[in-house]
Amino acid sequence: MIALNPMMDIGEHDGQLLGLHSPWSISDVNLDMASHRVDMTIEYTDNEGPCPECGALSSKHDERETRVWRHLDTMQFATYLHCRVPRVRCQEHGAKTLATPWAGKNSRFTLMFEAFAIKLLMAARSVEEARKVLGLNWHQVDKIKSRAVERGLARREEEVIRYVGIDEKQFRAGHRYISNLVDLDQGRVLDVVQERTEEAAKSLLEKGLTTAQRAKVEAVAVDMWPAYANAIHATLPSAVIVHDRFHISQHLNQAVDLVRRQENRQRDRQGDLRLRGTKYMWLANQENQHERFAETFAGLKDSNLKVARAWAIKEQFRPFWDYRRKGCAKRYFDGWYSWAIRSQLGPVKEKAKMIKRHLGNILTYFDHPISNAVAEGLNSKIQTIKANARGFRSFESFRYSILFYCGRLDMAP
């Protein structure tokens, strides 16, 4: 704790609060009551200083133009620091600007202000609310977040990561996607890239994991997108692919819905309106069916409707995941596949064949029981980030926001 001497002048007090030490000192404090603003001028009083590159004590060369930094408010008065930061002449590196103890390189905010801004941005319901409290524009907020993320990424330790997931998220309209890499054990986003191509996925794995970490990854939860599988084979030498159970469930739901739509059009023409408004009944698992639909759905699922058969086939795939042994799961799948392929339901047969083609990388689940449930949860958080920001003008801004809120980084200045 700093004990402030009541005999000190205001400049000395503020200097101690800022953590300034000789030869840095506050030479002037100007209080503007009308503008609710405090301006402090900082001077460097020595004729030499440490080179910011190598630390060698070097003679003072000149002074740069006056720069201004936003600091934490003083008694609700906006506070700004002003300084003509000296340059020193290093024998090895030439003329270099001294590092300032109150702010990071290229920042227009003090370290204390950035630390407060980071905490507020993490706690606020939206960036807009935090921005208004801080009195900043969107560009300034983006700069604070990007610096915070870069600090956090630089501080990440090279720990062993056994299980990762790769998932996609729509960035903009027109099938514009991002791919994110998730540490499934720690529930954090490791990195994000544009697109979902093979090259993008390779870049994602190389950015999000060091060479040593890539060698230790045991398994990757991923959907059946070939580009992701090819990138994993090329980049992670020891990892097996585990096709994500939630994506498989999604594919089977798509088949059920397609059967429902085809049958609904046919029955509508015949005056049979039973399937109107029933879409979400068929997509829910039986135990998750809403109470108000229970009686109606009980009659539909036990009827001779084609969609009722498709739904039953979809539901009967679920016990596959409950087996403990790979061989037992394989035998169960063979029986299920035989039923699905003889169902005479085109969409169901198509999805069943797709699952069989990828069965090898589905059965790896019984060696490595992982899924992208963590990634799906983070995707919901990413959607909230996107909605709160009302969209992003650039991918880089979106990436920094995702890592800021979902990267579990140590970002404090």
Side-chain angles (χ1 to χ4, degrees), residues 67 69-70 103-111 113-115 117-118 121 127 131 134 136-152 392 394 396-401 404-405 411-413:
R67 295 170 64 193
W69 295 263
R70 173 74 186 275
K105 186 178 181 180
N106 299 325
S107 175
R108 288 295 180 266
F109 303 97
T110 66
L111 298 173
F113 185 92
E114 288 204 23
I118 290 167
L121 286 163
V127 175
R131 182 191 71 76
L134 293 167
L136 304 178
N137 59 41
W138 280 90
H139 177 71
Q140 291 169 322
V141 170
D142 275 352
K143 285 293 186 182
I144 288 174
K145 286 198 293 186
S146 64
R147 281 194 296 272
V149 168
E150 292 298 341
R151 278 194 297 269
F392 290 88
S394 70
E396 274 306 311
S397 181
F398 193 25
R399 172 179 175 261
Y400 280 128
S401 288
F404 185 89
Y405 291 106
M411 299 182 289

Side-chain angles (χ1 to χ4, degrees), residues 5 10 12 19 22 39-40 42 50 73 102 104 114 122 152 187 197 206 210 221 236 263 274 281 321 332 357 398:
N5 185 338
I10 191 65
E12 289 178 285
S22 180
D39 290 274
M40 302 181 187
I42 299 174
D73 290 356
W102 60 85
E114 288 204 23
M122 294 294 286
T197 63
E206 289 166 356
T210 66
L236 304 178
E263 188 173 17
R274 282 181 295 168
M281 296 185 196
W321 304 107
Y332 182 86
R357 286 196 303 272
F398 193 25

Side-chain angles (χ1 to χ4, degrees), residues 50-196:
C51 169
E53 298 289 335
C54 65
L57 198 61
S58 308
S59 60
K60 185 176 176 181
H61 177 64
D62 60 10
E63 290 180 336
R64 294 190 60 183
E65 70 283 357
T66 300
R67 295 170 64 193
V68 182
W69 295 263
R70 173 74 186 275
H71 186 47
L72 292 172
D73 290 356
T74 303
M75 300 295 186
Q76 299 183 353
F77 279 53
T79 304
Y80 297 86
L81 308 185
H82 302 251
C83 183
R84 294 191 66 190
V85 183
R87 292 197 303 169
V88 293
R89 172 67 66 177
C90 175
Q91 290 185 352
E92 182 178 353
H93 298 102
K96 291 290 179 181
T97 304
L98 286 179
T100 56
W102 60 85
K105 186 178 181 180
N106 299 325
S107 175
R108 288 295 180 266
F109 303 97
T110 66
L111 298 173
M112 291 181 184
F113 185 92
E114 288 204 23
F116 173 72
I118 290 167
K119 289 180 181 178
L120 183 60
L121 286 163
M122 294 294 286
R125 290 190 303 171
S126 73
V127 175
E128 177 66 10
E129 290 180 3
R131 182 191 71 76
K132 288 178 179 177
V133 171
L134 293 167
L136 304 178
N137 59 41
W138 280 90
H139 177 71
Q140 291 169 322
V141 170
D142 275 352
K143 285 293 186 182
I144 288 174
K145 286 198 293 186
S146 64
R147 281 194 296 272
V149 168
E150 292 298 341
R151 278 194 297 269
L153 291 175
R155 290 172 183 164
R156 266 188 180 165
E157 297 180 1
E158 194 171 306
E159 55 197 316
V160 173
I161 298 176
R162 296 175 59 210
Y163 295 133
V164 297
I166 301 177
D167 204 8
E168 66 184 34
K169 178 74 180 170
Q170 191 167 15
F171 173 35
R172 285 178 177 156
H175 300 287
R176 297 288 303 278
Y177 291 92
I178 62 168
S179 300
N180 55 50
L181 180 65
V182 175
D183 177 350
L184 297 179
D185 286 328
Q186 295 197 41
R188 56 178 177 161
V189 174
L190 296 173
D191 217 322
V192 187
V193 295
Q194 289 192 83
E195 305 301 341
R196 53 174 184 161

Side-chain angles (χ1 to χ4, degrees), residues 355-399:
I355 292 171
K356 187 172 185 178
R357 286 196 303 272
H358 294 91
L359 186 60
N361 287 332
I362 294 172
L363 291 171
T364 51
Y365 173 82
F366 300 96
D367 298 319
H368 303 278
I370 60 174
S371 75
N372 263 342
V374 172
E376 292 296 329
L378 287 168
N379 266 349
S380 297
K381 192 171 182 178
I382 291 168
Q383 183 59 37
T384 302
I385 293 167
K386 185 177 173 184
N388 285 343
R390 302 191 182 118
F392 290 88
R393 292 183 180 179
S394 70
F395 163 74
E396 274 306 311
S397 181
F398 193 25
R399 172 179 175 261

Side-chain angles (χ1 to χ4, degrees), residues 7 12 23 26 60 93 188 202 218 220 265 275 287:
M7 300 303 293
E12 289 178 285
I26 293 179
K60 185 176 176 181
H93 298 102
R188 56 178 177 161
K202 285 180 183 177
E218 296 179 19
V220 185
R265 284 195 295 268
L275 290 178
E287 66 273 16

